[in-house]
Amino acid sequence: MAHQRPAFTAASPPLLHHPVPQHPIPSHTMRSPPPLSQASSGSAYAASPYQQQQQQQQQQQQGMPSMHNLGHGLHPAYGGFLADPAAQIGLQMGASAMKNSREYIEQNMNRYVNYTALKHYFNVSNSYVLNKLRLVVFPWRHRPWTRIPKAVGPGQVDGMFLPPRDDLNSPDMYVPVMAFVTYILLYTMLAGIRGHFHPELLGKLASTAFAIVLLEILGLKFGCYLLNINNESQLLDLVAYSGYKFVGIIGIILIQELSTNGWLRFLSFFYFFSSNAFFLLRSLKYVLLPETSTDNPRGTVQAVARAQRNRRTQFLFIYSYVVQFVFMWILTMG
Amino acid sequence: MAMLFWFGNLFYVAVLLVNAVAVLSEDRFLARIGWAGQQDQGFGGGDVSIKAKLINLISAIRTLMRIPLIMVNIVIIVYELLLG
């Protein structure tokens, strides 16, 4: 870069009368793509990051002459700084650092989050989502609540279940996640209509809702530990089921906003609460009350198993009615 | 109401609860009400009662969380003194 400037000034002697730009000012701005002729001449300025790496290798093979050519038709400040060896090293280091960090994140994400298991929960279709929403809001007439096991071969089943796309009773993550986000946005929007909007409200609501879900999962896991229910593989199911209450909460908030009648507000709360509780009671039955663990034929063991089953049923009832009542009350009235 | 459920408060509540369990004295309190540490459950792990599970949990917390709790408590005390 330093050896180009004397050559340029020698070609056109400097004028001393009034300030004249020393270099030809390019008509394009910094970000606009340069003409094709320059790009074909191997300027690193025009190339995309992927081409740049290849070109850097070429330039390193060619050595100094290519650097000299590079800044020829270009403003020296543009062509120069990319041809600078230090800048190239910096670019390469940046690219490799980005690549390494991305690989690191992917590795660790795979270690902590089971991607294939998560994908199963997002395998939904339009009709599934509509039917599921209808089921959460109006669960009273739904008849079979058992999930359909996935058939591996003819008459064979493994531990897996059909994805939500094919089975209405299967838990999914799509509806809970969407309802969660919608709840936060809706609440904030209604606060904005009333003139109480503050950006902090978004974070506050998200934190509260997330903490409630977390608390719920912790309580469920603690109950499972106390009642000797081993369902390590179904943690994601529990997360999904604890998110379905946001559908009801959205309904409650909407009705509360639209109506000024106190009775209607109360009624809507109790309707959505009871429908959600009924839905949870029926759906969680297969998680918390597994039939396979209690089919012991001996008498005394069966009595113990029956007592255990009773306790589990009580726990299920308390979870889906009492706990849900408290949480939905906090989330709607808070 | 909503302030109750911030993450910081939730963390405090969890730490305080674990503290409350860890501070229980084995021979002065737990032995008197019959909740002392486990007496060799052996292989009868199939139908453990809720009480046995709770006793197990308490003794596990008492042995496992003692040293980490000291650290966490010190960190929280320093934080509260400086910024609280």
Side-chain angles (χ1 to χ4, degrees), chain A residues 27-39 43 45-48 74:
Chain A
S27 61
H28 53 80
T29 54
M30 278 289 279
R31 285 166 207 279
S32 70
L36 267 176
S37 61
Q38 289 177 359
S43 109
Y45 167 61
S48 70
L74 217 59

Side-chain angles (χ1 to χ4, degrees), chain A residues 200 203-204 206-208 210-212 214-215 222 225-228 301 304-305 308 311 327 329-330 333-334, chain B residues 1-8 10 13-14 45-58 60:
Chain A
E200 203 184 33
K204 203 168 127 185
S207 170
T208 305
F210 196 77
I212 277 180
L214 203 73
L215 208 67
F222 186 67
Y225 168 75
L226 285 186
L227 293 173
N228 229 351
V301 178
V304 170
Q308 199 182 34
R311 273 204 305 270
F327 284 153
W329 188 269
I330 289 171
M333 309 293 173
Chain B
M1 189 74 133
M3 285 292 285
L4 251 173
F5 285 90
W6 280 65
F7 276 119
L10 213 65
V13 168
D47 284 316
V48 197
S49 67
I50 293 180
K51 190 183 159 193
K53 280 270 186 182
L54 272 178
I55 292 171
N56 205 357
L57 184 72
I58 288 175

Side-chain angles (χ1 to χ4, degrees), chain A residues 27 34 56 58 75 101 110 118 162 187 195 203 206 226 270 272 317:
Chain A
S27 61
Q56 280 163 15
Q58 284 174 7
H75 190 284
S101 65
N110 267 331
L118 263 185
L162 278 184
Y187 204 100
L226 285 186
F270 274 100
F272 280 112
F317 180 80

Side-chain angles (χ1 to χ4, degrees), chain A:
Chain A
M1 186 169 155
H3 56 86
Q4 283 165 2
R5 195 168 288 192
F8 184 78
T9 46
S12 65
L15 301 171
L16 298 177
H17 312 299
H18 49 267
V20 161
Q22 293 276 314
H23 319 290
I25 295 172
S27 61
H28 53 80
T29 54
M30 278 289 279
R31 285 166 207 279
S32 70
L36 267 176
S37 61
Q38 289 177 359
S40 62
S41 74
S43 109
Y45 167 61
S48 70
Y50 300 107
Q51 291 167 348
Q52 260 181 26
Q53 280 184 353
Q54 295 170 358
Q55 284 174 2
Q56 280 163 15
Q57 290 164 1
Q58 284 174 7
Q59 285 164 9
Q60 279 165 1
Q61 289 165 1
Q62 290 172 5
M64 287 298 285
S66 79
M67 278 173 58
H68 195 76
N69 288 340
L70 207 86
H72 197 68
L74 217 59
H75 190 284
Y78 293 167
F81 89 98
L82 276 177
D84 197 19
Q88 285 188 4
I89 290 171
L91 270 177
Q92 273 178 348
M93 276 182 65
S96 70
M98 283 285 285
K99 214 179 76 185
N100 282 342
S101 65
R102 207 176 55 224
E103 275 173 6
Y104 179 78
I105 287 172
E106 273 173 9
Q107 269 181 3
N108 283 305
M109 284 294 278
N110 267 331
R111 195 187 303 158
Y112 295 123
V113 180
N114 195 348
Y115 265 133
T116 48
L118 263 185
K119 266 180 192 162
H120 173 269
Y121 286 95
F122 284 97
N123 186 4
V124 295
S125 62
N126 286 340
S127 63
Y128 167 80
V129 170
L130 280 179
N131 283 328
K132 194 73 173 185
L133 285 177
R134 190 185 53 78
L135 182 60
V136 174
V137 173
F138 191 79
W140 319 106
R141 305 286 299 272
H142 189 64
R143 197 55 209 123
W145 286 90
T146 49
R147 290 176 67 178
I148 307 169
K150 187 197 255 174
V152 181
Q156 277 181 338
V157 289
D158 58 354
M160 302 291 289
F161 288 103
L162 278 184
R165 177 182 286 273
D166 303 320
D167 183 11
L168 181 59
N169 291 324
S170 163
D172 70 313
M173 290 275 197
Y174 178 79
V175 174
V177 167
M178 287 300 142
F180 184 87
V181 176
T182 312
Y183 161 71
I184 293 167
L185 293 181
L186 182 73
Y187 204 100
T188 329
M189 193 190 80
L190 293 178
I193 290 175
R194 272 184 253 114
H196 300 312
F197 176 75
H198 193 274
E200 203 184 33
L201 193 61
L202 284 169
K204 203 168 127 185
L205 273 175
S207 170
T208 305
F210 196 77
I212 277 180
V213 170
L214 203 73
L215 208 67
E216 216 179 312
I217 301 298
L218 281 180
L220 261 181
K221 285 309 260 187
F222 186 67
C224 286
Y225 168 75
L226 285 186
L227 293 173
N228 229 351
I229 308 167
N230 45 356
N231 51 357
E232 283 87 14
S233 63
Q234 284 155 337
L235 176 67
L236 288 171
D237 281 10
L238 297 182
V239 175
Y241 279 126
S242 75
Y244 280 119
K245 66 170 160 304
F246 287 101
V247 177
I249 285 170
I250 290 170
I252 296 169
I253 288 177
L254 273 180
I255 291 179
Q256 276 182 351
E257 188 63 25
L258 292 178
S259 78
T260 51
N261 189 351
W263 266 105
L264 195 61
R265 301 169 123 201
F266 237 62
L267 216 68
S268 75
F269 177 80
F270 274 100
Y271 176 75
F272 280 112
F273 155 69
S274 52
S275 69
N276 179 54
F278 187 78
F279 170 75
L280 279 181
L281 192 70
R282 285 297 154 107
S283 311
L284 280 176
K285 210 176 143 194
Y286 85 97
V287 181
L288 299 182
L289 302 174
E291 260 105 46
T292 50
S293 69
T294 55
D295 56 354
N296 216 320
R298 282 169 295 170
T300 54
V301 178
Q302 195 145 36
V304 170
R306 205 180 301 135
Q308 199 182 34
R309 201 177 158 80
N310 269 339
R311 273 204 305 270
R312 287 185 184 183
T313 316
Q314 285 163 10
F315 171 65
L316 180 58
F317 180 80
I318 288 174
Y319 168 73
S320 55
Y321 277 87
V322 181
V323 175
Q324 295 297 317
F325 182 84
V326 173
F327 284 153
M328 284 179 83
W329 188 269
I330 289 171
L331 283 173
T332 51
M333 309 293 173

